[in-house]
Amino acid sequence: MISDTGSSQSITRPDTAAGPRAVPRLAHNGPVNAFAPTGPTDPRDPSDPSTPSGAADPLTDPLAAFTALRAPEGTALLTELRSYDPAQELATATRLRRSHPAALVSAALGQARLRQRAVAKFGAEDAYRMFFTPNGVEQATRTSVATYRAGRFAAAGVRSVADLCCGIGGDAIALARAGISVLAVDRDPLTAEVARANAAALGLDALIKVRCADVTEIDTAAYDAVFVDPARRGGRGRIFDPEAYSPPLSWATGAALKAPVAALKIAPGIPHEAVPARAEAEWISDGGDVKEAVLWFGEGFTAGSYRATLLPAGATLSAPAALPAPPVGPVGRYLYEPDGAVIRAHLVADIVERSGGRLIDETIAYVTSDEPYNSPYTSAYEITDRLPFNMKKLKALLRERKVGVLTVKKRGSAVEPEELRRKMKLQGPNAATVFLTRVAGAPTMLIGHPVRPESP
């Protein structure tokens, strides 16, 4: 069985049949104060006429600062800062403070930086109309993945979703654009306000209703589906234990099983033994990078099955259950590197069967064959040389081949690609790919080049 190179730990499968369990008060999706460095959060809406005068000071209250950003002066500042250069921030801030309050300028500059970061996930058209928090940008689902997932909800006949732990509203936006009405819930007042503002900014507020509340107190019975995106970051960084998510995976699973259809967004590195037995587990990559895993529950989804989906193509590989260990054999003419989603879903054995090939090592996710195999789920390479691990021999071979551009890939090797490239002192007009790996347990270097996929 192919294994990850990192350490592993035993994690118990969530047991929803054991009865109710105490659930701690839930943290929101991380610190969200992007607008003021200090001061408490006042849950009252500073735009509400009933709020006492002076209760929300823009210098200390992030909600008041956010409200100021949405006012005409703040809106004008954000428009002016759309294309500003962060390297010139000091000069820009000095200039703007001559005609605007310093606190508003600071808030606008912070928001402008976040919008620039968000372009990679949301695209420029949406990002420069939306509002963000630092953790909102970091944790939000990118639009391509959220759109795909919303499509699966719609295909299942879902017309209304309770989006629990909605964050800044990225998934709610995708669901609404698929024609689905959404109740978006987050317990942090600022985050909820940002989600509400984003729905309005994109003209989706008729379909998205935002509520600031603890998700454990929400009655989802009136909705066709439940979507839960637990917080997977804490004060010390990423959280790897699913029971340390906020809310814990066991609580989210219980909420999912009460709904006709449900989806839980989880970290792609979740151990398979932690996947609930009644879930269909899907790993999603976008542009070759694994972005997330989703657990699907309900009619139309196959409990116990595994699925790998590759975006933007939308190609999907699935198996009804865990596959048997594939054969292992010598390196052939061709080497295939499965997409990360295929590896995470433990579907490499499926690639081995489809290609008529074998693994080069029982613990390494490289597939080899003697005949070419064209597939959207793998990158193919033609292997020209095989060497035992030896830096001097590799350097001599690359000099002989006049290789000036070297792509380094590795599985089962501790050597860093940049270190290897530096030691090779590359020169020449040609390019090559080297794989640092193990073959039948022995450290090995495989040299080759990519094979262009055949046209359909």
Side-chain angles (χ1 to χ4, degrees):
M1 181 177 181
I2 298 167
S3 62
D4 294 331
T5 56
S7 61
S8 61
Q9 58 182 344
S10 176
I11 298 180
T12 304
R13 184 187 300 273
D15 184 4
T16 57
R21 62 191 293 271
V23 177
R25 291 287 295 179
L26 304 181
H28 56 72
N29 292 340
V32 295
N33 186 352
F35 308 102
T38 59
T41 297
D42 187 337
R44 293 168 292 188
D45 183 354
S47 64
D48 188 336
S50 65
T51 300
S53 176
D57 181 356
L59 293 175
T60 59
D61 183 1
L63 271 174
F66 179 61
T67 300
L69 278 181
R70 299 186 66 197
E73 186 177 7
T75 300
L77 267 176
L78 288 174
T79 300
E80 183 177 348
L81 289 169
R82 171 167 176 152
S83 58
Y84 100 104
D85 181 0
Q88 302 297 320
E89 182 167 316
L90 179 58
T92 302
T94 301
R95 174 177 57 82
L96 292 175
R97 284 170 181 163
R98 296 185 187 124
S99 52
H100 302 282
L104 181 60
V105 171
S106 296
L109 285 167
Q111 191 60 218
R113 289 193 300 270
L114 293 174
R115 285 181 167 182
Q116 290 182 351
R117 287 173 54 193
V119 168
K121 284 188 174 182
F122 291 89
E125 184 176 353
D126 282 352
Y128 285 108
R129 290 188 289 166
M130 294 172 65
F131 296 90
F132 301 95
T133 64
N135 280 282
V137 171
E138 182 71 24
Q139 298 183 22
T141 306
R142 65 172 52 210
T143 294
S144 56
V145 178
T147 299
Y148 164 76
R149 187 167 49 239
R152 289 205 79 186
F153 271 120
V158 169
R159 293 295 173 261
S160 62
V161 172
D163 178 3
L164 308 181
C165 307
C166 69
I168 61 167
D171 286 287
I173 289 166
L175 290 164
R177 285 176 168 168
I180 298 171
S181 63
V182 185
L183 171 66
V185 183
D186 199 285
R187 71 167 297 192
D188 179 71
L190 176 59
T191 303
E193 281 299 317
V194 171
R196 187 175 290 113
N198 287 337
L202 300 180
L204 299 169
D205 44 344
L207 284 170
I208 300 174
K209 302 303 178 186
V210 180
R211 185 181 303 174
C212 183
D214 190 316
V215 297
T216 63
E217 299 171 359
I218 298 297
D219 183 1
T220 62
Y223 297 88
D224 296 340
V226 167
F227 173 64
V228 187
D229 180 6
R232 295 175 299 283
R233 285 182 179 271
R236 298 182 178 179
R238 294 183 185 274
I239 296 172
F240 297 99
D241 179 0
E243 283 306 292
Y245 292 172
S246 180
L249 180 59
S250 56
W251 181 90
T253 300
L257 292 173
K258 295 175 184 176
V261 173
L264 311 181
K265 177 181 172 181
I266 56 175
I270 185 172
H272 278 223
E273 59 266 28
V275 173
R278 294 171 65 178
E280 174 188 296
E282 179 178 29
W283 282 260
I284 302 172
S285 68
D286 189 12
D289 295 326
V290 182
K291 296 301 179 184
E292 65 180 58
V294 186
L295 304 180
W296 295 95
F297 299 81
E299 187 174 351
F301 304 102
T302 306
S305 67
Y306 299 91
R307 175 186 294 257
T309 297
L310 283 55
L311 301 177
T316 293
L317 188 67
S318 62
L323 300 170
V328 179
V331 177
R333 180 178 177 183
Y334 298 97
L335 189 75
Y336 306 102
E337 180 183 27
D339 183 270
V342 173
I343 297 172
R344 293 285 191 180
H346 291 188
L347 294 175
V348 175
D350 191 289
I351 298 298
V352 171
E353 182 177 344
R354 290 168 181 257
S355 66
R358 55 206 174 262
L359 296 178
I360 64 171
D361 185 281
E362 64 179 357
T363 65
I364 301 295
Y366 284 140
V367 180
T368 188
S369 73
D370 303 308
E371 301 295 331
Y373 168 65
N374 188 28
S375 166
Y377 306 108
T378 66
S379 298
Y381 298 84
E382 184 173 7
I383 300 303
T384 57
D385 300 272
R386 172 182 170 178
L387 302 171
F389 185 84
N390 186 298
M391 289 284 197
K392 290 184 178 180
K393 289 184 178 180
L394 177 62
K395 185 176 181 179
L397 178 63
L398 296 177
R399 184 186 298 116
E400 177 186 337
R401 302 283 170 83
K402 298 181 179 180
V403 172
V405 178
L406 183 67
T407 300
V408 181
K409 293 179 172 288
K410 67 169 192 170
R411 287 196 182 280
S413 173
V415 177
E416 291 300 324
E418 286 303 323
E419 177 190 359
L420 184 141
R421 270 191 288 263
R422 185 171 58 254
K423 290 181 176 180
M424 292 300 102
K425 298 181 180 180
L426 302 166
Q427 283 186 326
N430 299 323
T433 300
V434 60
F435 295 86
L436 307 178
T437 188
R438 294 194 302 271
V439 175
T444 304
M445 299 182 294
L446 304 175
I447 298 91
H449 55 82
V451 176
R452 293 182 179 180
E454 296 178 4
S455 301

